[in-house]
């Protein structure tokens, strides 16, 4: 199986079921050592990955407010989380597609992440359907993918700005979301968020590992380089309070957490 060509196919697919299936096939091929990394596969600029045609992308300020105290508000919030997980699938796929000549374990790691993000999306999509809705029913914004485009030219920047900033924010905000759903008596959403939180610790740890690998190959200090990249790309500030325990499990040091508060 051609890794890069199949990642491009999955990225372009507008059918969530097909995208999920291609990710699972890639993940299984990686586990069996059956991936072919054909360096001659063309590398295309992907302005936008494939989304269901009914999904309307809008600027962040146009996304409607979501009141967790009402059934409709909770459905909208589940939809927003589903959209994050759908884009997280794209980010993991693009990390494999875009950055060539990395160690084989890099691709194995990010295809595992893609498979877990697809699992999260599947749980949320099924929850939406049980609520009488579906993915694509509400507007969503595309901030996660915009950072992928901005860092398309440098694997070190991608590892720093996507898993270690944007995805790590999920470690900080998910406990609060979980508690809001728990207060509303929405046990289904609580259970899904527990799965997501535990898996995302591992995903951020993978980002940390490959960011540090990129720094080591260039003789750079990871802590200083992270701050420089966050400032260069105008990365969003961490959501406070930081989930220190989860971030430490994901490979951040105490010194790095302290530095983040100065961003």
């Amino acid at each position: 199986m051609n890794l890069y060509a199949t990642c491009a196919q999955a990225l372009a697919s507008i059918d969530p079921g097909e995208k999920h299936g291609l990710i699972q096939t890639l993940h299984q091929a990686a586990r069996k050592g059956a991936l072919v990394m054909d360096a001659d596969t063309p590398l295309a600029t992907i302005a936008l990955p494939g989304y269901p045609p009914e999904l309307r992308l809008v600027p962040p300020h146009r996304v409607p407010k979501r009141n967790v105290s009402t059934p409709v508000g909770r459905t909208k919030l589940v939809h927003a989380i589903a959209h994050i997980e759908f884009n997280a699938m794209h980010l993991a796929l693009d990390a494999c597609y875009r950055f060539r000549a990395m160690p084989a374990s890099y691709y194995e790691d990010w295809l595992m992440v893609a498979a877990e993000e697809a699992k999260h999306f599947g749980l949320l999509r099924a929850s939406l359907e049980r609520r009488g809705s579906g993915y694509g029913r509400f507007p969503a914004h595309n901030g996660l993918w915009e950072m992928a485009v901005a860092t398309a030219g440098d694997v070190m920047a991608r590892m720093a700005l996507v898993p270690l900033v944007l995805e790590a924010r999920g470690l900080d905000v998910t406990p609060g979301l979980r508690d809001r759903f728990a207060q509303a008596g929405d046990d289904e959403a609580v259970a899904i968020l527990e799965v997501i939180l535990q898996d995302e610790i591992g995903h951020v740890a993978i980002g940390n590992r490959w960011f540090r690998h990129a720094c080591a190959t260039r003789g750079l200090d990871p802590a200083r380089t992270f701050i420089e990249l966050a400032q260069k790309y105008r990365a969003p500030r961490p959501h406070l309070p930081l989930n220190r325990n989860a971030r430490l499990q994901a490979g951040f040091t105490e010194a790095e957490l302290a530095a983040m508060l100065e961003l």
Side-chain angles (χ1 to χ4, degrees):
M1 172 173 285
N2 185 326
L3 168 67
Y4 305 128
T6 310
C7 282
Q9 183 183 355
L11 280 162
S13 176
I14 64 173
D15 182 335
E18 179 185 40
K19 197 184 296 279
H20 191 162
L22 287 167
I23 288 171
Q24 295 302 324
T25 300
L26 280 163
H27 184 219
Q28 291 301 319
R31 293 178 66 184
K32 295 175 182 177
L35 290 175
V36 175
M37 299 168 197
D38 185 353
D40 293 329
T41 304
L43 178 60
T45 299
I46 302 175
L48 203 64
Y51 295 101
E54 62 270 23
L55 180 71
R56 186 163 59 95
L57 294 174
V58 300
H61 69 273
R62 296 278 305 279
V63 175
K65 300 295 183 182
R66 301 172 289 266
N67 185 350
V68 76
S69 66
T70 69
V72 172
R74 289 194 294 276
T75 298
K76 288 180 178 180
L77 187 51
V78 170
H79 186 278
I81 300 167
H83 181 64
I84 291 170
E85 298 301 317
F86 199 69
N87 258 338
M89 292 158 57
H90 293 149
L91 294 169
L93 286 168
D94 192 70
C96 293
Y97 170 74
R98 188 148 310 282
F99 302 112
R100 312 287 169 92
M102 295 292 288
S105 55
Y106 169 89
Y107 301 104
E108 293 166 6
D109 277 351
W110 286 109
L111 289 175
M112 183 192 73
V113 171
E116 291 187 347
E117 304 292 15
K119 175 187 71 176
H120 301 164
F121 175 75
L123 292 170
L124 292 158
R125 188 184 187 192
S127 180
L128 285 170
E129 290 170 355
R130 284 190 288 271
R131 297 165 193 266
S133 186
Y135 181 57
R137 300 282 180 85
F138 303 104
H141 71 80
N142 212 31
L144 281 173
W145 184 253
E146 289 169 2
M147 184 61 82
V149 172
T151 57
D154 184 359
V155 68
M156 185 175 71
R158 174 66 64 84
M159 295 297 106
L161 277 300
V162 174
L164 301 191
V165 174
L166 298 184
E167 293 192 59
R169 281 166 65 90
L171 303 182
D172 304 325
V173 304
T174 299
L177 286 175
R178 177 196 59 202
D179 293 346
R180 289 169 63 193
F181 277 112
Q183 290 168 5
D186 195 325
D187 294 337
E188 179 176 282
V190 170
I192 294 171
L193 288 173
E194 289 283 5
V195 172
I196 291 174
L197 180 59
Q198 290 307 308
D199 287 348
E200 292 296 342
I201 292 172
H203 300 175
V204 176
I206 287 170
N208 234 323
R209 177 159 63 249
W210 290 108
F211 172 65
R212 293 174 190 280
H213 171 85
C215 288
T217 61
R218 303 181 198 189
L220 298 173
D221 175 68
R224 182 179 302 111
T225 302
F226 175 80
I227 297 300
E228 290 172 353
L229 289 168
Q231 293 171 341
K232 175 182 177 180
Y233 287 89
R234 298 180 180 179
R237 294 172 60 85
H239 184 279
L240 300 179
L242 296 179
N243 187 340
R244 300 182 67 83
N245 184 52
R247 282 178 174 265
L248 290 171
Q249 289 181 61
F252 288 99
T253 67
E254 288 284 4
E256 288 167 342
L257 295 183
M260 284 178 196
L261 300 178
E262 303 302 321
L263 285 174

